[in-house]
């Protein structure tokens, strides 16, 4: 089973979208194996978004992502990396389809509500920026046979 890192950004927390967003992943059938709230500092922002340091939007991104608490989670499931990206929608909410988090809940790229890892390798890197192995829960859910054939 694959794991991905998903994060509700400060705007999602401020706009009371935490419950609805988590609910979408639960309804889909993905398993929450890690969950916490924290406020990102500059060092974590630079680690998380290392690939974007130096780009014109980086300073805006860093101040946005550190501006308030976020909800960090690790989701587990079949092909969950790609599925969570699809559920989140395009980076720019203007291009995100209806039914996606960004399509339904956001307007601008600089306030796009949610993060999801873009590959299995990114997921492994990002999960361990925010969680220790001990903070992740391995458990069975009784509904698994009704979600997976
Ligand atoms: P994603 O979050 O879909 O993986 P990304 O990794 O390319 O997208 O960029 C990280 C975040 O940076 C993105 O969620 C919003 C911001 N961002 C990306 N491109 C931007 C741009 N051209 N202008 C402003 N913000 C941008
Ligand atoms: Mg990205």
């Amino acid at each position: 089973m694959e794991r991905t890192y998903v994060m509700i950004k400060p705007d999602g927390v401020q706009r009371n979208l935490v419950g609805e967003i988590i609910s979408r992943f639960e309804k889909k059938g993905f398993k929450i194996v890690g969950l916490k709230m924290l406020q990102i500092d500059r060092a974590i922002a630079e680690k998380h978004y290392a690939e974007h340091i130096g780009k014109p939007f980086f300073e805006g991104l860093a101040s946005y992502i550190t501006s308030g608490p976020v909800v960090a989670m690790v989701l587990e499931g079949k092909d969950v990396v790609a599925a969570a990206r699809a559920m989140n929608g395009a980076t720019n909410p203007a291009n995100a389809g209806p039914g996606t988090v960004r399509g339904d809940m956001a307007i601008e790229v600089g306030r796009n509500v949610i993060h999801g890892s873009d590959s299995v390798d990114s997921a492994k890197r990002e999960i361990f920026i925010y969680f220790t192995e001990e903070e992740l829960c391995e458990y069975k859910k009784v509904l698994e046979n009704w979600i997976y054939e």
Side-chain angles (χ1 to χ4, degrees):
M1 279 294 169
E2 213 168 85
R3 285 179 173 180
T4 194
Y5 178 69
V6 167
M7 184 171 84
I8 303 170
K9 295 178 177 179
D11 48 341
V13 173
Q14 292 294 328
R15 293 175 55 208
N16 305 320
L17 300 175
V18 171
E20 173 163 356
I21 291 171
I22 292 177
S23 187
R24 287 184 176 209
F25 294 112
E26 282 192 305
K27 284 179 188 160
K28 172 79 173 170
F30 292 132
K31 184 157 68 178
I32 300 167
V33 298
L35 186 64
K36 68 164 83 163
M37 180 176 245
L38 76 152
Q39 184 148 0
I40 295 178
D41 64 18
R42 175 80 192 195
I44 297 175
E46 288 185 0
K47 211 166 172 185
H48 181 139
Y49 287 120
E51 63 179 315
H52 298 306
I53 293 173
K55 293 184 184 171
F57 61 82
F58 181 76
E59 286 309 318
L61 174 62
S63 75
Y64 158 53
I65 214 67
T66 59
S67 64
V70 300
V71 173
M73 72 193 93
V74 179
L75 300 175
E76 189 177 278
K78 187 178 181 186
D79 298 324
V80 68
V81 172
R85 291 278 292 185
M87 290 171 72
N88 289 354
T91 302
N92 187 336
N95 304 321
T100 65
V101 173
R102 287 162 171 170
D104 292 348
M105 303 182 206
I107 295 174
E108 289 195 327
V109 68
R111 297 287 185 272
N112 65 0
V113 170
I114 193 158
H115 167 82
S117 306
D118 64 10
S119 67
V120 172
D121 282 347
S122 299
K124 283 186 183 134
R125 189 185 77 83
E126 292 168 4
I127 286 167
F128 293 109
I129 294 174
Y130 294 92
F131 291 90
T132 64
E133 193 69 64
E134 295 70 41
E135 288 175 317
L136 301 178
C137 296
E138 242 173 78
Y139 63 104
K140 270 210 136 340
K141 294 186 96 169
V142 292
L143 286 177
E144 268 163 32
N145 288 342
W146 299 102
I147 294 168
Y148 296 104
E149 192 177 349

